[in-house]
Amino acid sequence: MATGFFGEVSKIPFNPDAGPEELAFRHYDPEEIVMGKPLAEHLRFAVCWWHNFVWPGGDPFGGQTFDRPWFEDRASDPMEAAKLKADVAFEMFTALGVPFYCFHDADIRPEGDDFAENTKNLNAIVDVLERKQAETGLKLLWGTANLFSHRRYMSGAATNPDPEVFAFAAATVKTCMDATHRLGGANYVLWGGREGYETLLNTDLKREDQQLGRFLNLVVEYKHKIGFDGAILIEPKPQEPTKHQYDHDVATVYGFLKRHGLENEVKVNIEQGHAILAGHSFEHEIATAAALGIFGSIDMNRNDQQSGWDTDQFPNDVPEVARAYYEILKAGGFTTGGTNFDAKLRRQSLDPKDLLFAHVGGMDVCARGLKAAAAMMDEGVLSAFVDDRYAGWDQKGAQAMLAGERTLEEIAGWVEEQNVNPAPISGRQEWAENIVNRYV
Ligand code: XLS
Ligand code: NI
Ligand code: NI
């Protein structure tokens, strides 16, 4: 039974000729074949629960602007409200035709008074989701635990000075991994919401690193114990809510994984807005993860370039998205990962239909970006240029040098004897940028 939240809404069609007021995809045809497979399989779209159905539209200067029938001010029975929210969520996923969704425990279930009640509520809603997945064919891209909203987590979860908070967080993650496993989730995500510090004056960095390492090892051990074959993903972010977060960026996370023996067990979920906060580009973070062998998934939501906040806006910059997907395609495309919209409306966008327009627009931008990236791959002009640029390294002497078969003295001797005198070669950046411009 339809909730009527979106009015009359059925599956949004692909129609490049649709008028400006029509809900239609102009660029995303899920069945279009690109590089030998349907666009839907390249992009693996997912929609997040929290920003769409939980966030009230507040900012630091004002509270709720959205009016949703399942919000506390309108619903009397929290469990019924959670079910209504799930009904609306699945209506939206189905209308958009996305294959996946994502949630935190706290998004889908009412908050209980203690751990046992949280778990009971979570499992009751997971029953509902399990049924809905079977009815609709939708799948879970990832589940995660909200270890940052409740006040018990104000000084961190795994990195809390109080071991009881560590234990409560660990127990909560166990329940969320169980839920994700039960729902056939493709990944399990950990974003270290408050794993960081506000001031070094009250913080022991060494202990907190050890705690965070142990916590993640517990997660990986449990994953193997229950036979969860999805990927464990860390989502890097440099700051916000804490002043300094430990999972600063991809390179920092890699160092952390190495230090705790987890570099072959855990990958990353990279968010555009977090890359920008860390002073990187989105494609830099993706390329770094791919080079280190830890690329997992993406959160496709951008930041406002001026505000300096994690504004979680829907993507709208095709060239940027094209550069991101180019790095993803070069890395072989998604395996367990996908394109998750961890994006929220602006607080003035009050109408339920704004949720649909936002996602349709974002999905079209991604489709254009992916198609441009695929064309860049197909023609191979840039990759041929890069191969050629490094071709010297394929020669025998260079390979020996790289493999550690030449000492510093031997290299010096070679340079002297052969009078090695390298001639600089143009990097041709403007030419390369012109190539990209042909596709976007
Ligand atoms: C917050 C994060 C969060 C994660 C999931 O900035 O992006 O939404 O994706 O906990
Ligand atoms: Ni995110
Ligand atoms: Ni974010």
Side-chain angles (χ1 to χ4, degrees):
M1 258 256 280
T3 63
F5 179 71
F6 294 106
E8 287 286 300
V9 68
S10 45
K11 186 153 180 320
I12 297 168
F14 169 66
N15 177 8
D17 305 319
E21 290 296 338
E22 273 174 71
L23 270 172
F25 295 102
R26 277 84 176 164
H27 302 276
Y28 177 60
D29 172 4
E31 279 151 33
E32 181 179 345
I33 301 294
V34 175
M35 288 173 72
K37 69 177 180 188
L39 210 42
E41 287 177 29
H42 278 288
L43 290 162
R44 293 169 60 83
F45 282 129
V47 169
C48 85
W49 207 279
W50 50 103
H51 292 319
N52 291 308
F53 310 115
V54 183
W55 184 60
D59 71 9
F61 301 92
Q64 180 173 342
T65 57
F66 297 150
D67 177 28
R68 310 289 193 226
W70 54 88
F71 280 180
E72 258 174 44
D73 59 337
R74 285 189 50 196
S76 47
D77 178 344
M79 210 56 179
E80 284 310 309
K83 284 183 192 153
L84 172 61
K85 188 162 53 166
D87 286 342
V88 170
F90 272 75
E91 273 172 27
M92 182 165 111
F93 306 152
T94 311
L96 292 170
V98 292
F100 296 103
Y101 70 103
C102 303
F103 65 78
H104 301 85
D105 52 352
D107 308 330
I108 59 170
R109 57 122 175 90
E111 188 71 37
D113 287 335
D114 55 18
F115 176 73
E117 202 185 345
N118 279 349
T119 309
K120 190 175 129 249
N121 292 350
L122 178 70
N123 290 338
I125 296 293
V126 169
D127 290 342
V128 174
L129 300 188
E130 199 169 39
R131 268 201 310 280
K132 288 186 171 294
Q133 286 190 189
E135 277 161 28
T136 58
L138 263 133
K139 296 195 184 95
L140 180 63
L141 186 66
W142 45 267
T144 186
N146 179 328
L147 304 178
F148 43 90
S149 293
H150 195 280
R151 64 195 287 274
R152 78 173 65 87
Y153 298 123
M154 67 177 192
S155 312
T159 60
N160 201 291
D162 180 353
E164 287 195 1
V165 178
F166 179 102
F168 195 102
T172 300
V173 165
K174 178 190 173 293
T175 64
C176 292
M177 289 176 76
D178 289 340
T180 302
H181 188 37
R182 223 181 106 192
L183 293 170
N187 307 273
Y188 184 83
V189 165
L190 296 113
W191 168 58
R194 292 188 194 272
E195 312 294 20
Y197 65 80
E198 298 299 334
T199 170
L200 283 175
L201 298 175
N202 66 10
T203 304
D204 186 331
L205 282 184
K206 203 171 167 189
R207 278 182 188 272
E208 296 203 358
D209 179 69
Q210 197 192 352
Q211 290 169 219
L212 199 55
R214 183 82 287 268
F215 195 91
L216 193 57
N217 266 289
L218 286 167
V219 168
V220 169
E221 285 158 18
Y222 191 62
K223 163 198 152 133
H224 291 302
K225 169 116 198 281
I226 60 177
F228 175 64
D229 56 12
I232 303 290
L233 305 176
I234 295 229
E235 186 172 320
K237 185 175 182 179
Q239 75 260 349
E240 202 192 301
T242 71
K243 169 188 148 62
H244 176 95
Q245 306 224 171
Y246 295 132
D247 298 330
H248 192 92
D249 60 2
V250 169
T252 310
V253 166
Y254 186 74
F256 168 81
L257 294 177
K258 270 284 219 203
R259 196 154 67 244
H260 296 282
L262 293 169
E263 72 274 19
N264 299 320
E265 293 282 358
V266 178
K267 295 189 162 84
V268 283
N269 180 41
I270 300 169
E271 180 166 311
Q272 190 273 5
H274 300 179
I276 304 301
L277 284 178
H280 301 305
S281 66
F282 192 24
E283 63 266 30
H284 165 92
E285 288 291 81
I286 295 169
T288 301
L292 294 168
I294 57 167
F295 175 69
S297 197
I298 58 172
D299 274 5
M300 183 58 98
N301 38 288
R302 71 188 164 95
N303 280 8
D304 182 278
Q305 296 288 346
Q306 281 96 51
S307 79
W309 283 83
D310 190 12
T311 54
D312 291 323
Q313 286 169 259
F314 285 85
N316 69 354
D317 181 344
V318 175
E320 181 192 41
V321 169
R323 290 192 302 272
Y325 282 122
Y326 182 59
E327 295 305 328
I328 292 171
L329 290 178
K330 276 202 299 185
F334 291 122
T335 53
T336 63
T339 303
N340 174 43
F341 292 108
D342 183 0
K344 60 175 180 255
L345 295 175
R346 297 308 87 194
R347 70 196 292 269
Q348 299 176 52
S349 301
L350 299 181
D351 298 343
K353 283 229 162 79
D354 290 323
L355 286 166
L356 301 175
F357 280 111
H359 285 90
V360 165
M363 289 162 75
D364 267 345
V365 167
C366 291
R368 288 182 65 187
L370 191 284
K371 285 189 263 188
M376 275 155 67
M377 289 287 290
D378 269 346
E379 280 202 18
V381 178
L382 285 172
S383 58
F385 170 60
V386 174
D387 287 348
D388 190 51
R389 206 167 167 235
Y390 289 86
W393 281 101
D394 295 335
Q395 282 156 23
K396 238 176 111 203
Q399 281 292 309
M401 196 157 61
L402 197 61
E405 290 158 10
R406 299 281 183 277
T407 64
L408 203 58
E409 290 109 306
E410 283 167 344
I411 295 172
W414 174 62
V415 170
E416 221 173 359
E417 278 156 32
Q418 303 294 317
N419 188 20
V420 174
N421 194 5
I425 300 169
S426 175
R428 307 190 69 199
Q429 180 170 338
E430 295 75 12
W431 170 84
E433 287 165 349
N434 294 353
I435 298 286
V436 174
N437 210 27
R438 283 171 37 203
Y439 302 98
V440 294

